[in-house]
Amino acid sequence: MKILVTGGAGYIGSHTCIELLENGHDIVVVDNFSNSKPEVIDKIKEISGKDFSFYELDLCDKDALEEVFKKEQIEAAIHFAGYKAVGESVKKPLMYYQNNLLSTLVLCELLAKYDCKKLVFSSSATVYGSPDHLPITEDFPLSTTNPYGTTKLMIEQILKDLHISDPTWDIVILRYFNPIGAHESGFIGESPNNIPNNLMPYIVKVANKELPELGIFGDDYETKDGTGVRDYIHVCDLAHGHLLALNKLNDHAIHYYNLGTGNGYSVLDLVETFKRVNNIDVPYTIKDRRPGDIAACYADPSKAQKELGFVAERTLDDMCKSAWNFILKNK
Ligand code: UFG
């Protein structure tokens, strides 16, 4: 299939591009490098040994995106592009609503106009808000605690309405848990431009002595060691989930899947694993809880397993090793 990948130079997008290319798909990548770097495009080509078309553009620019649809025979889209920093979204809600919603509306309009009504959308476990119990299944009630999360939930609603209005659309909504790690080559990985908000990128910067120490946000949660528990999933497993999701774009339905491992690990689990497998120190101190954080969050991944054949194969050791390998290879 010829697949339009929006945000293909980003963290999850770039790993998915490789997975698609290695499995015989053609891709057309669009990105405006708002949180990624142009060299990633070359690295995707190098790793996969395949060429593809790339367009630097803002998805909100309908005319620019329409030129891509005119030139390329696009058959489906995987939509990664969007702003994703929780804290920033609280400070700049209009920027988040404007960018994340408008870009999706423009994309859907063009997918409909050029008669390729097949879409895989990057959603997030953030749409489950603060869940009552665990593990989380896809039918849990939905709510959000910040504008970033609300954009994900609003887009899910838009896609649901779109599917009601025209049931010939094929839509798969993937709700990611916590992707970490990097491609085994060490050529691509997660490299946020500023001080990281998320745990793993922060750990690697401390290990690399770019930041003095990690602050652990609370050790008094009702979890096994008091620190927050999350479902960390290797980004390459997550990328594979997108490949499998393409198989569901054939029954004129809208599907929802959790992409996680089903395992919950605490902040201390992750820090200690990272230290052990990489034989490196990660100094930390315990800080106050971070506002908006929940104690624990992990998936019931059985629906994705049953319907997509999705199984996350890589371990926490693999995730920690590959995240550090990416730093070592890029020093
Ligand atoms: N944490 C720290 N110190 C840090 C950063 C994080 O202790 O410097 C802790 C958090 O308190 C939390 C855990 O590490 O317990 C994971 O935090 P992340 O920021 O890495 O991830 P979140 O689970 O908060 O958020 C992630 C994504 C969101 C997404 C959400 C879905 O960043 O985009 O998962 O559940 F919405």
Side-chain angles (χ1 to χ4, degrees):
M1 237 192 316
K2 191 163 196 176
I3 300 156
L4 176 68
V5 182
T6 77
Y11 175 46
I12 305 171
S14 58
H15 288 81
T16 303
C17 286
I18 291 169
E19 183 73 9
L20 296 171
L21 290 166
E22 287 180 343
N23 285 279
H25 291 289
D26 285 334
I27 61 172
V28 175
V29 175
V30 298
D31 205 302
N32 65 353
F33 301 124
S34 75
N35 190 28
S36 58
K37 297 190 179 84
E39 67 222 39
V40 172
I41 298 301
D42 295 330
K43 288 182 178 170
I44 296 169
K45 292 181 180 174
E46 210 178 314
I47 295 168
S48 66
K50 306 246 169 80
D51 202 9
F52 56 85
S53 310
F54 169 75
Y55 299 87
E56 182 174 349
L57 59 83
D58 187 328
L59 279 184
C60 297
D61 182 345
K62 190 175 167 186
D63 292 341
L65 188 61
E66 183 151 12
E67 287 306 310
V68 178
F69 275 84
K70 282 182 189 158
K71 276 195 205 135
E72 311 278 352
Q73 301 299 310
I74 289 163
E75 293 168 85
I78 306 182
H79 181 32
F80 293 102
Y83 295 151
K84 62 169 190 178
V86 172
E88 184 183 52
S89 80
V90 175
K91 291 193 189 110
K92 300 176 181 172
L94 297 181
M95 185 175 108
Y96 270 67
Y97 290 119
Q98 165 83 15
N99 182 69
N100 292 5
L101 299 183
L102 184 58
S103 57
T104 308
L105 295 174
V106 166
L107 175 65
C108 289
E109 248 184 282
L110 292 171
L111 286 169
K113 182 169 174 184
Y114 287 82
D115 200 26
C116 36
K117 293 182 270 186
K118 292 180 186 292
L119 177 66
V120 177
F121 174 61
S122 295
S123 189
S124 163
T126 195
V127 300
Y128 297 116
S130 186
D132 271 356
H133 57 280
L134 295 165
I136 297 171
T137 52
E138 287 81 354
D139 55 2
F140 267 35
L142 305 177
S143 67
T144 57
T145 54
N146 58 72
Y148 155 74
T150 308
T151 66
K152 291 293 180 192
L153 191 51
M154 288 171 93
I155 293 168
E156 287 201 7
Q157 182 64 50
I158 289 166
L159 296 177
K160 195 171 162 185
D161 291 339
L162 183 61
H163 192 265
I164 291 168
S165 75
D166 178 355
T168 65
W169 274 86
D170 294 293
I171 298 173
V172 177
I173 290 176
L174 299 176
R175 294 177 179 151
Y176 311 149
F177 282 70
N178 289 56
I180 59 171
H183 191 264
E184 58 181 8
S185 64
F187 288 159
I188 58 166
E190 188 172 20
S191 52
N193 293 336
N194 304 312
I195 293 188
N197 301 300
N198 298 114
L199 182 58
M200 182 58 103
Y202 208 104
I203 289 175
V204 296
K205 281 203 188 291
V206 172
N208 203 28
K209 300 196 174 8
E210 291 171 62
L211 292 168
E213 64 176 14
L214 170 71
I216 293 185
F217 300 140
D219 67 351
D220 56 354
Y221 286 107
E222 280 192 25
T223 58
K224 64 174 188 172
D225 59 24
T227 66
V229 165
R230 296 290 184 275
D231 186 339
Y232 296 99
I233 176 169
H234 197 296
V235 67
C236 293
D237 282 333
L238 194 68
H240 185 61
H242 293 76
L243 180 74
L244 298 173
L246 295 175
N247 299 329
K248 289 302 264 185
L249 296 177
N250 59 7
D251 57 359
H252 292 345
I254 181 163
H255 297 282
Y256 300 84
Y257 297 107
N258 286 340
L259 292 185
T261 66
N263 302 312
Y265 290 106
S266 72
V267 176
L268 285 173
D269 285 335
L270 192 65
V271 172
E272 293 306 329
T273 304
F274 189 92
K275 284 161 63 175
R276 175 175 54 76
V277 301
N278 296 312
N279 195 21
I280 193 159
D281 195 25
V282 179
Y284 64 82
T285 51
I286 305 296
K287 299 242 173 84
D288 289 344
R289 291 181 179 193
R290 183 170 65 179
D293 271 357
I294 56 176
C297 170
Y298 52 90
D300 178 340
S302 55
K303 186 177 179 218
Q305 183 174 358
K306 195 165 148 239
E307 296 186 16
L308 300 179
F310 175 74
V311 180
E313 285 170 349
R314 293 161 179 89
T315 63
L316 197 67
D317 282 20
D318 299 331
M319 302 179 213
C320 291
K321 274 187 212 163
S322 64
W324 185 234
N325 180 45
F326 171 62
I327 302 300
L328 295 179
K329 286 263 161 70
N330 290 280
K331 272 199 181 202

